[in-house]
Amino acid sequence: MGEDKDDFVVTPWKVEGIIDYDRLIEQFGTERITEELKDRMYKVTKEKHVLLERNLFFSHRDLGWILDEFEKGNKFVLYTGRGPSGKTHIGHLVPWIFTKWMQEKFDTTLYFQMTNDEKYFFEPHLSLDDVRKYTYDNTLDLLALGFEPENTYIIQDIEHIDLLYEIAVEVARKVTFSTVKATFGFDNSTNIGSIWHSAIQAVPAFLHSWIYGKKTPCIIPCAIDQDPFWRVTRDIAEKLGYYKPASIQCSFVPGLKEGGKMSSSEPMSAVFTTDTPKMVKKKVMAAFTGGRTTVEEQRKLGANPDICSVFKYYNFIFMPDDKDLADIEKRCRSGDILCGECKQILAPMMMEFLEKHQAAREEVKDRVDEFSAARLRDELRR
Ligand code: TRP
């Protein structure tokens, strides 16, 4: 839970207030991604990534060690995941896009955990049918980004528990109730499924090592709210004979409304991957900006992109070219462009992105099984 002196809260289940990311790094005990670390990554990837360049991926644990090992020829695996509690929005795609890039550039295997059990434990309004339906639905969004089955394994916790259980019991014996209470703020009224979930979310970090009987480094790309899980996981990893998982963490994708992150519970703040062009346009046109109350004022004084949600979208995904971004920022600050016009630029960009995404989503509809972690059962029989 957040500390009293901060007016923001970041936990895996709640993100609130205006987040001071420097303070968050301090609170969580992670480290900032330095220019030197970026350069070390680029030495391998041979190209830059806008999410790193703009410091949207900004925090890490042990990224330097992962690169040391990689340079020595000890390749890592990737692990990330999704709690299928609703439809996917654009914000969810950001860490997955980055994961895809890392997978491609480092030529490595991805374990992707769909925590249908977690969402069932934590969200009383969801039925088992709901979380199953969202698991399938969210998987389409993941696969639409272009993952290949050869090196991608999607773990559905409920369906694939046989693959996870042995490691989960090893983990669960080492983690105490007082640790998870302190880490996640649980109390006596928390259901025991939620408590148990801390063990389940640790498992994929060790899965590759366990299956192949070879201690293998693992790095977890994710939004920084998941860090509490990795603290618990890292705490017990070495006791079980595994490496501590590293992680590389991003900030939250802002919503289209004032402040706050993109959130499914605020439908006007979120652009869902299945939204129609008309809905996208409506949401963008209603978005919060840093504009002035009157046109004359804005022409004279300019607007403020620092607080503008439209500008944040340019920054996050829609204007990867730094020159374009600098140009629109200048026009905004100088009053040369009004917010309505600026939204008319973003809306078609988003619509085009979604049109492509939705087409790709259709194409993977019959291919979901090809990615199933159930294939790992064969590895275990070998
Ligand atoms: N708990 C995450 C969520 O609610 C899902 C998840 C499981 C995850 N394992 C992960 C996210 C690893 C990032 C990395 O969305």
Side-chain angles (χ1 to χ4, degrees), residues 12 79-83 113 115 118-119 197 201 220-222 226 229-230:
Y79 160 38
T80 190
R82 155 84 179 144
Q113 182 177 39
T115 54
E118 174 189 18
K119 293 298 137 170
H197 178 70
Q201 188 156 330
I220 308 168
C222 61
Q226 296 298 304
F229 283 111
W230 319 136

Side-chain angles (χ1 to χ4, degrees), residues 8 27 47 65 78 107 128 185 218 231 261 305 309:
F8 62 85
Q27 263 185 34
E47 70 175 25
W65 167 74
L78 291 161
D107 184 24
L128 280 172
C218 169
R231 294 205 288 276
K261 65 165 187 161
S309 63

Side-chain angles (χ1 to χ4, degrees), residues 12-13 79-89 92 96 112-142 154-159 197 200-201 226 264 272 361:
W13 304 285
Y79 160 38
T80 190
R82 155 84 179 144
S85 56
K87 291 190 288 181
T88 309
H89 59 57
H92 297 131
W96 305 349
F112 191 99
Q113 182 177 39
M114 284 285 180
T115 54
N116 44 13
D117 52 350
E118 174 189 18
K119 293 298 137 170
Y120 183 71
F121 293 140
F122 280 89
E123 313 246 359
H125 69 283
L126 293 176
S127 68
L128 280 172
D129 267 357
D130 293 335
V131 294
R132 287 211 171 94
K133 199 181 78 206
Y134 287 132
T135 298
Y136 173 74
D137 177 88
N138 297 173
T139 300
L140 300 182
D141 289 302
L142 176 74
I154 301 177
I155 304 161
Q156 298 177 186
D157 284 350
I158 296 174
E159 290 75 13
H197 178 70
I200 290 288
Q201 188 156 330
Q226 296 298 304
S264 307
F272 294 99
R361 219 174 171 275

Side-chain angles (χ1 to χ4, degrees), residues 125-261:
H125 69 283
L126 293 176
S127 68
L128 280 172
D129 267 357
D130 293 335
V131 294
R132 287 211 171 94
K133 199 181 78 206
Y134 287 132
T135 298
Y136 173 74
D137 177 88
N138 297 173
T139 300
L140 300 182
D141 289 302
L142 176 74
L143 298 184
L145 300 177
F147 289 93
E148 294 299 336
E150 293 74 58
N151 52 1
T152 306
Y153 295 92
I154 301 177
I155 304 161
Q156 298 177 186
D157 284 350
I158 296 174
E159 290 75 13
H160 302 147
I161 188 62
D162 57 322
L163 288 167
L164 311 178
Y165 200 62
E166 188 170 315
I167 307 172
V169 298
E170 286 185 305
V171 171
R173 188 161 82 175
K174 295 280 182 228
V175 179
T176 65
F177 184 39
S178 88
T179 298
V180 292
K181 263 205 304 207
T183 310
F184 299 108
F186 296 154
D187 60 31
N188 285 349
S189 70
T190 307
N191 68 52
I192 59 175
S194 302
I195 296 161
W196 161 247
H197 178 70
S198 332
I200 290 288
Q201 188 156 330
V203 171
F206 308 137
L207 191 59
H208 191 93
S209 302
W210 180 75
I211 290 177
Y212 298 98
K214 180 178 179 289
K215 217 166 137 175
T216 309
C218 169
I219 183 163
I220 308 168
C222 61
I224 193 167
D225 64 314
Q226 296 298 304
D227 188 69
F229 283 111
W230 319 136
R231 294 205 288 276
V232 174
T233 308
R234 287 167 58 85
D235 230 30
I236 51 91
E238 283 170 340
K239 294 181 202 154
L240 300 178
Y242 302 113
Y243 288 126
K244 291 180 181 187
S247 73
I248 179 162
Q249 306 170 329
C250 62
S251 56
F252 306 108
V253 178
L256 286 169
K257 295 177 57 168
E258 184 171 4
K261 65 165 187 161

Side-chain angles (χ1 to χ4, degrees), residues 319-338:
M319 274 193 192
D321 189 316
D322 289 340
K323 277 216 308 288
D324 294 345
L325 189 75
D327 183 56
I328 198 119
E329 179 176 352
K330 203 168 115 213
R331 293 183 62 199
C332 169
R333 287 195 199 278
S334 69
D336 178 40
I337 188 168
L338 299 176

